[in-house]
Amino acid sequence: GLYILTQQKSAFDQCGAVRWFYRGEGWQFYELLPNGNWLGTLITDQRSYHWIGFAEFTMLGEKVNEYLVLPDYIHHEVQKLPSGNYLVASNLFPVTVDDVTGALIDDGNSEEDTVLEISAADGNIVRTWDFNTILDPDRTPIPSNGRADDWLHINSAVYDDAGTPADLSDDGIIITAQRQSLVAKVAYETGELIWIIGSHAGWDPNDPNIQSKLLDPIDEQGNPIDINAEYFWPYGPHAALVMGGGEVAIFDNGANRGFYGDLAPADTGDPDFSRGIQYLVDETNMTVQITWQFDWDKRIFTSITGDIDYLDNGNYLLGFVGNRPGSSDDNPR
């Protein structure tokens, strides 16, 4: 097997030797398709890490199909759905960048808070999930870049195939949102909010829709957990991975862990650490429990990016990027 670095568009083997790399069009690759081709971004009219569309590329660099989403832009996620269509993280408006630095700037339009389904047949938008109307854009985000337009920052969006091919009513879309430190599921057909994995703090107490969708944490025996004494919730997460049976795995970056006040004072001395973690959601009882996690003894901290995958051999593959601030070169990277 090969390990793929998506932004470097390269692959290395079990011994660490580079076996393949790509130097053609596309800034980032997203998914290896069943036919052996890649989904990747188009670099035409790139604005920071936002692009006008995506394409299917062969392993030899040939472009097979391309899809434009203008005037919208895509970022972070492109995934092929069982129907053959594509799920993409998007903006409903063009993004604005600084002419000198190329950095994203606040133009008054919210961004990175929409998911689209794109038709594989004609490139048209089939469905839109606008999280400005699904979640609460007024909830205080974790300290980040200070831009009000980047209140949610969806960085993964995956399809939860819970129903049967003939019945899509139980299927959903699961997202991770870095700025709100949450994982959320919405109904595929209606966009209705189903649940939220995240701290209960900071939400509007008078919003019954949100309050009823906040999952309650439990332990392995089904007992309620005092979240003020636990590192239970994710912070700045990435890379939602549907495991089936109500389980979802994520890469929990841990940035600004405890910002929403869900850690006891004794836990907040050095709370920033990253981990892979898997949750089991009971949608009937609206509970959530941790079924697996790996935090490397809290020794490493990846403030942004990161990834988790599940291998055929039953192991997890974790991608940490960076090191704990202030740690020595003797510590693991």
Side-chain angles (χ1 to χ4, degrees):
L2 296 178
Y3 300 90
I4 310 297
L5 299 174
T6 58
Q7 288 188 345
Q8 282 68 36
K9 296 171 292 184
S10 61
F12 60 93
D13 62 20
Q14 195 75 13
C15 298
V18 175
R19 300 291 296 274
W20 175 89
F21 63 94
Y22 175 76
R23 294 193 296 182
E25 184 177 5
W27 188 81
Q28 176 171 319
F29 282 175
Y30 289 105
E31 183 180 15
L32 185 61
L33 300 173
N35 64 5
N37 292 341
W38 283 102
L39 288 178
T41 56
L42 298 170
I43 59 175
T44 307
D45 196 15
Q46 175 181 344
R47 301 188 182 188
S48 184
Y49 54 88
H50 296 69
W51 305 272
I52 62 169
F54 61 97
E56 179 180 343
F57 300 90
T58 71
M59 291 292 283
L60 297 179
E62 300 164 312
K63 187 190 303 180
V64 179
N65 297 301
E66 69 175 43
Y67 302 90
L68 303 180
V69 296
L70 288 173
D72 307 327
Y73 281 72
I74 68 169
H75 57 88
H76 281 96
E77 182 77 279
V78 179
Q79 183 187 78
K80 196 175 185 69
L81 295 168
S83 65
N85 291 340
Y86 298 96
L87 191 71
V88 302
S90 178
N91 299 300
L92 286 180
F93 331 87
V95 293
T96 305
V97 297
D98 187 286
D99 291 335
V100 177
T101 66
L104 294 170
I105 60 176
D106 190 346
D107 58 5
N109 295 320
S110 61
E111 64 177 45
E112 301 186 38
D113 51 16
T114 306
V115 176
L116 305 177
E117 180 180 347
I118 304 295
S119 169
D122 54 24
N124 291 328
I125 297 175
V126 177
R127 283 182 175 85
T128 300
W129 297 271
D130 183 359
F131 285 85
N132 270 290
T133 61
I134 297 172
L135 296 173
D136 180 6
D138 293 326
R139 184 183 186 233
T140 302
I142 63 172
S144 56
N145 54 20
R147 292 194 352 247
D149 60 339
D150 194 14
W151 68 275
L152 186 63
H153 201 99
I154 295 174
N155 51 37
S156 70
V158 294
Y159 183 67
D160 184 9
D161 188 5
T164 64
D167 181 12
L168 302 178
S169 61
D170 290 333
D171 292 355
I173 303 298
I174 295 177
I175 66 160
T176 52
Q178 183 187 24
R179 300 289 187 250
Q180 293 290 327
S181 292
L182 59 79
V183 188
K185 180 179 177 179
V186 298
Y188 170 74
E189 288 194 317
T190 66
E192 178 187 357
L193 181 63
I194 298 176
W195 50 251
I196 297 173
I197 299 175
S199 173
H200 292 202
W203 299 100
D204 183 355
N206 299 315
D207 186 337
N209 182 54
I210 293 288
Q211 292 296 325
S212 65
K213 303 304 169 56
L214 295 168
L215 296 174
D216 293 320
I218 59 175
D219 62 18
E220 294 179 355
Q221 288 73 42
N223 301 313
I225 289 177
D226 179 5
I227 60 172
N228 290 324
E230 298 286 340
Y231 287 108
F232 194 92
W233 302 120
Y235 273 80
H238 285 74
L241 183 64
V242 175
M243 303 296 292
E247 291 194 278
V248 57
I250 61 170
F251 186 88
D252 175 21
N253 293 73
N256 303 109
R257 196 180 297 279
F259 173 75
Y260 291 111
D262 49 20
L263 296 181
D267 292 329
T268 56
D270 189 12
D272 289 348
F273 64 91
S274 301
R275 61 184 172 176
I277 189 168
Q278 187 165 306
Y279 294 98
L280 172 62
V281 174
D282 182 339
E283 294 184 4
T284 300
N285 296 310
M286 293 300 287
T287 60
V288 58
Q289 70 179 84
I290 297 173
T291 57
W292 175 88
Q293 64 177 313
F294 176 80
D295 60 20
W296 209 354
D297 299 323
K298 301 180 177 60
R299 293 186 296 176
I300 193 166
F301 174 50
T302 296
S303 61
I304 58 174
T305 69
D307 192 32
I308 183 171
D309 286 295
Y310 187 71
L311 305 180
D312 291 340
N313 62 10
N315 294 333
Y316 295 83
L317 181 67
L318 294 173
F320 294 91
V321 182
N323 200 7
R324 176 173 297 285
S327 61
S328 70
D329 290 339
D330 294 333
N331 284 345
R333 292 184 180 271

